[in-house]
Amino acid sequence: MSEVLDRKGIEALIPHREPFLLIDRVIELEPGVRCVAEHTFTGEEWYQAGHFPGNPIVPGVILTESMAQAATVGAMALPDYREGIGLFAGIEEMKFKRIVRPGDTGRFTATFAKMRRGFARVQVTAHVGDELAAEGTILAIFQPAAKVAAS
């Protein structure tokens, strides 16, 4: 199954909102298996004025969060995790290969290597066009809504 989601569709699945919703659209979605999302960096983002004045570069932590949000869509599209929450459990061997700047469109791919009882190991990449910008592994815990409400 492959779905396309706009921001409204993304917001129906994950709890992130402006100014911290860092993906604009999902172009591929196979829940619990793979998610591909995109974001076009405009230069108007809240962090851009200070990173760096006169030489704007998208911070690596923003790329990492964008990849994590793609993973969150992939997990929370599963019925068991809808209306729940996804939390980082770890980040392994994240590597940054290319500078991303305003005007670039990032394509964030999250491929689930493991997903069991709410724990996920997700291989993630960020590309601009055909160029690899970042890659690594995200470890995450996804909690269903009932568990979130009890916390």
Side-chain angles (χ1 to χ4, degrees), residues 1-6 9-10 12-14 23 25-37 69-79 82 108-112:
M1 173 173 87
S2 187
E3 295 182 43
V4 177
L5 301 173
D6 60 10
I10 293 165
L13 290 177
I14 68 175
I23 54 178
R25 64 202 151 273
V26 171
I27 59 172
E28 292 179 39
L29 176 59
E30 189 173 350
V33 177
R34 178 178 154 91
C35 180
V36 181
Q69 288 183 18
T72 302
V73 168
M76 295 182 79
L78 293 166
R82 291 238 169 106
F108 308 105
T109 302
T111 305
F112 289 76

Side-chain angles (χ1 to χ4, degrees), residues 11-26:
E11 288 178 353
L13 290 177
I14 68 175
H16 303 74
R17 296 294 181 267
E18 285 296 332
F20 212 69
L21 180 58
L22 302 176
I23 54 178
D24 297 330
R25 64 202 151 273
V26 171

Side-chain angles (χ1 to χ4, degrees):
M1 173 173 87
S2 187
E3 295 182 43
V4 177
L5 301 173
D6 60 10
R7 284 179 82 90
K8 187 174 182 177
I10 293 165
E11 288 178 353
L13 290 177
I14 68 175
H16 303 74
R17 296 294 181 267
E18 285 296 332
F20 212 69
L21 180 58
L22 302 176
I23 54 178
D24 297 330
R25 64 202 151 273
V26 171
I27 59 172
E28 292 179 39
L29 176 59
E30 189 173 350
V33 177
R34 178 178 154 91
C35 180
V36 181
E38 292 180 332
H39 175 72
T40 300
F41 295 96
T42 65
E44 299 300 316
E45 293 85 4
W46 57 272
Y47 52 82
Q48 209 60 85
H51 198 272
F52 299 99
N55 184 24
I57 295 172
V58 176
V61 295
I62 296 295
L63 295 176
T64 302
E65 177 65 24
S66 297
M67 291 182 280
Q69 288 183 18
T72 302
V73 168
M76 295 182 79
L78 293 166
D80 287 352
Y81 300 104
R82 291 238 169 106
E83 298 179 21
I85 193 167
L87 302 168
F88 272 115
I91 300 170
E92 295 181 345
E93 300 199 22
M94 192 62 67
K95 296 178 183 162
F96 302 94
K97 307 283 190 173
R98 177 198 192 278
I99 289 174
V100 178
R101 297 187 180 278
D104 289 339
T105 295
R107 186 177 68 256
F108 308 105
T109 302
T111 305
F112 289 76
K114 177 182 179 181
M115 176 79 171
R116 190 168 58 231
R117 294 193 330 242
F119 174 81
R121 174 180 289 275
V122 189
Q123 305 300 112
V124 293
T125 61
H127 283 83
V128 174
D130 291 333
E131 292 183 67
L132 181 65
E135 65 181 340
T137 301
I138 290 174
L139 307 176
I141 301 290
F142 295 98
Q143 295 181 335
K147 199 165 191 177
V148 171
S151 298

